[in-house]
């Protein structure tokens, strides 16, 4: 990690501490912006210091990767305050002439509007359409100003209700491993040598449930979500059976 990144993470830790104290002392909910995986790991590094204020992470849907951190709980404060998250639907005005837009295209268009990264959550791009999660305060600004992405003219509308009608696509993979170690499970999901997988882990590119893991021998638990930077995410479903030779038949979901 560079000195600049270390400084940013330290500033984030201080901000997390401040928000926890504010929530507790002023008896109110407090929120961060959307946190990426490295930023969520900063939370787990100071978790013991701030858990007194009540910690909840949510990104607008169960499978979200980028999430808001909320301090406060209904049990302590006596009321529930929802997360200030909106989802926006993006559709081309003419599907016939639409470019095939990527996650990077949508993110770049939002950043070009002057929107900070912490105001933007997950972006789900699929079949010329997209769902974009944003801080509530930015929703109208996005729908008023996001009219074109690359050469494609688009229409942005604020989603209604609390349910997002999107089911993530995934491929189910099954295979045998000698143990439920992080490197073994990743080797099943990705066509890489064990040494390359180990280097990815040791380089700080692998997160389990939002926590940075740098040990290739880390033991996974059922339903753990593993994210590998620039490679995607998988979910470890668990052990299906054990072979006579003591190996484990396991199942994972590899998100497409």
């Amino acid at each position: 990690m560079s000195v600049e990144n270390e400084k940013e993470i330290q500033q984030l830790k201080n901000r997390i501490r401040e928000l926890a104290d504010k929530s507790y002392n002023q008896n109110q909910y407090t929120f961060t912006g959307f946190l990426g995986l490295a930023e969520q790991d900063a939370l787990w590094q100071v978790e013991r210091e701030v858990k007194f204020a009540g910690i909840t992470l949510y990104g607008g849907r169960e499978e979200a990767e980028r999430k808001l951190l909320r301090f406060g709980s209904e049990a302590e404060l006596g009321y529930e305050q929802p997360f200030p998250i909106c989802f926006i639907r993006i559709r081309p005005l003419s599907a016939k002439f639409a470019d095939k837009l990527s996650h990077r295209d949508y993110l770049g268009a939002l950043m070009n509007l002057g929107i900070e990264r912490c105001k933007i959550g997950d972006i789900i791009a699929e079949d010329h359409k997209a769902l974009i999660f944003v801080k509530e305060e930015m929703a109208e600004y996005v729908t008023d100003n996001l009219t074109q992405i690359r050469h494609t003219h688009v229409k942005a509308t604020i989603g209604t209700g609390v349910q997002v009608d999107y089911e993530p696509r995934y491929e189910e993979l099954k295979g045998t491993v000698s143990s439920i170690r992080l490197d073994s499970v990743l080797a099943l999901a990705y066509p890489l040598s064990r040494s390359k997988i180990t280097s990815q882990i040791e380089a700080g590119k692998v997160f389990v449930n939002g926590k940075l893991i740098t040990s290739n021998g880390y033991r996974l638990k059922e339903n753990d979500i593993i994210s590998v930077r620039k490679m995607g995410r998988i979910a470890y479903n668990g052990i299906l059976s054990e072979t006579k030779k003591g190996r484990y038949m396991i199942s994972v979901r590899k998100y497409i």
Side-chain angles (χ1 to χ4, degrees):
M1 183 183 292
S2 69
V3 173
E4 183 178 349
N5 287 340
E6 287 181 359
K7 183 177 180 180
E8 290 176 356
I9 292 298
Q10 187 58 51
Q11 290 173 340
L12 176 58
K13 289 179 182 178
N14 292 337
R15 178 60 176 160
I16 288 171
R17 294 185 184 102
E18 291 171 2
L19 289 173
D21 289 338
K22 180 179 179 180
S23 175
Y24 185 80
N25 293 328
Q26 299 185 15
N27 294 312
Q28 67 181 62
Y29 286 98
T30 58
F31 298 86
T32 64
F34 283 100
L35 304 178
L37 292 173
E39 295 163 322
Q40 289 173 45
D41 185 65
L43 162 66
W44 302 125
Q45 291 179 39
V46 297
E47 179 187 12
R48 291 184 180 181
E49 300 175 47
V50 299
K51 64 181 181 180
F52 66 89
I55 295 171
T56 312
L57 286 165
Y58 185 61
R61 63 191 184 104
E62 188 68 27
E63 305 86 0
E65 182 169 291
R66 293 180 59 79
K67 300 176 181 178
L68 296 187
L69 165 61
R70 183 184 72 178
F71 287 111
S73 67
E74 185 175 8
E76 291 294 329
L77 301 179
Y79 68 100
E80 174 70 13
Q81 183 170 332
F83 282 77
I85 299 173
C86 276
F87 66 93
I88 295 175
R89 301 181 189 277
I90 309 294
R91 292 185 173 89
L93 292 182
S94 174
K96 182 178 179 180
F97 300 106
D99 294 320
K100 186 175 181 180
L101 302 173
S102 66
H103 179 283
R104 179 176 293 185
D105 294 323
Y106 288 103
L107 178 59
L110 291 169
M111 302 288 279
N112 287 337
L113 293 179
I115 301 174
E116 296 176 292
R117 188 68 178 98
C118 64
K119 306 289 187 182
I120 306 167
D122 281 4
I123 298 172
I124 303 168
E126 189 176 73
D127 299 332
H128 299 297
K129 298 179 294 183
L131 285 175
I132 299 175
F133 294 82
V134 298
K135 289 287 290 290
E136 200 171 57
E137 67 206 55
M138 300 306 304
E140 287 191 11
Y141 179 78
V142 172
T143 56
D144 288 345
N145 293 278
L146 186 61
T147 58
Q148 184 172 338
I149 303 174
R150 285 176 54 192
H151 301 103
T152 300
H153 293 279
V154 299
K155 174 69 174 178
T157 56
I158 298 175
T160 57
V162 295
Q163 296 295 326
V164 178
D165 55 349
Y166 171 80
E167 290 292 333
R169 294 189 298 171
Y170 61 85
E171 175 187 9
E172 184 174 9
L173 303 173
K174 297 178 182 179
T176 61
V177 294
S178 58
S179 64
I180 314 302
R181 289 163 47 114
L182 179 59
D183 56 357
S184 297
V185 175
L186 286 177
L188 173 63
Y190 298 104
L192 296 175
S193 66
R194 185 62 64 89
S195 62
K196 287 186 177 180
I197 286 173
T198 298
S199 67
Q200 292 279 81
I201 295 169
E202 293 177 346
K205 296 182 179 181
V206 179
F207 298 80
V208 178
N209 302 326
K211 298 181 182 180
L212 176 65
I213 302 297
T214 55
S215 169
N216 60 331
Y218 179 86
R219 293 191 63 82
L220 295 169
K221 300 182 296 296
E222 193 170 311
N223 297 319
D224 277 349
I225 301 295
I226 306 107
S227 301
V228 185
R229 282 185 170 171
K230 297 185 178 181
M231 291 177 61
R233 292 198 299 166
I234 66 171
Y236 168 60
N237 293 332
I239 298 172
L240 299 176
S241 62
E242 186 174 351
T243 70
K244 292 180 179 180
K245 294 184 178 181
R247 292 176 64 84
Y248 301 98
M249 172 66 73
I250 67 169
S251 168
V252 301
R253 297 191 305 276
K254 186 177 181 181
Y255 292 96
I256 302 171

